[in-house]
Amino acid sequence: MIFTLFRVLLFLCLISSVDTFSATKKIAALYWSSNIEGQVAMSKGLEEKFKLLNSMGDYSLSTYVAGDGTKGIRNQIEQMKKVISEKVDLIIIQPTDNAALSPSLVLANKAKIPVIAYDQYIVGGDLSSFITSNNYQAGYLNG
């Protein structure tokens, strides 16, 4: 999953702006939780791939962790609004709640910011890409 996410990330970064390639591309990664082992592994994998991407160009990565429960949902909504207002070039998000983030996704669409959701879809609005993991296989491999 991380390799596929990296390829999408690379592609979207390259086409996300018509500006010169010397401009720094700003990427925001919005994670759900730092308390769930699988989610932490995905975020670490994404950040490792980002280091490789950054060696090929000028990119900045801002990361946010929403947290768990209803407070986490509210946090992630605010985090998404923040990165939209900062006019990032790409948002990668592991949604805390697929319905609660719909208005934020619509805002990103209006701002023409591509959004990649992984591990959970966001209803309403348009995602540039959606990537999911095979949770059954992960459970099987973990025993």
Side-chain angles (χ1 to χ4, degrees):
M1 177 178 119
I2 294 301
F3 182 71
T4 302
L5 184 58
F6 174 68
R7 288 190 315 209
V8 172
L9 169 67
L10 177 61
F11 174 74
L12 287 174
C13 285
L14 293 175
I15 66 166
S16 67
S17 173
V18 293
D19 295 338
T20 62
F21 281 92
S22 62
T24 299
K25 303 290 186 218
K26 298 182 290 184
I27 302 167
L30 284 68
Y31 305 129
W32 175 357
S33 175
S34 59
N35 296 321
I36 301 171
E37 186 177 330
Q39 293 177 9
V40 171
M42 285 186 270
S43 64
K44 284 182 181 179
L46 175 67
E47 290 172 25
E48 287 173 12
K49 295 299 182 185
F50 174 78
K51 289 177 187 173
L52 177 62
L53 173 67
N54 202 35
S55 71
M56 296 183 284
D58 191 12
Y59 300 93
S60 68
L61 179 67
S62 300
T63 61
Y64 302 84
V65 178
D68 300 316
T70 55
K71 183 177 179 186
I73 295 168
R74 288 191 304 270
N75 287 344
Q76 196 170 59
I77 291 167
E78 292 306 313
Q79 291 165 353
M80 191 137 169
K81 288 178 184 176
K82 178 181 188 290
V83 300
I84 292 167
S85 72
E86 292 173 351
K87 297 180 173 49
V88 298
D89 296 295
L90 175 66
I91 298 171
I92 302 170
I93 185 167
Q94 183 182 31
T96 55
D97 184 285
N98 63 350
L101 288 160
S102 295
S104 300
L105 178 58
V106 170
L107 285 175
N109 293 158
K110 287 180 182 177
K112 298 190 183 323
I113 300 171
V115 178
I116 299 172
Y118 73 94
D119 212 34
Q120 181 167 252
Y121 197 81
I122 301 175
V123 297
D126 296 313
L127 292 170
S128 299
S129 185
F130 170 64
I131 301 155
T132 189
S133 58
N134 185 333
N135 291 331
Y136 178 81
Q137 182 184 21
Y140 178 79
L141 292 173
N142 271 338

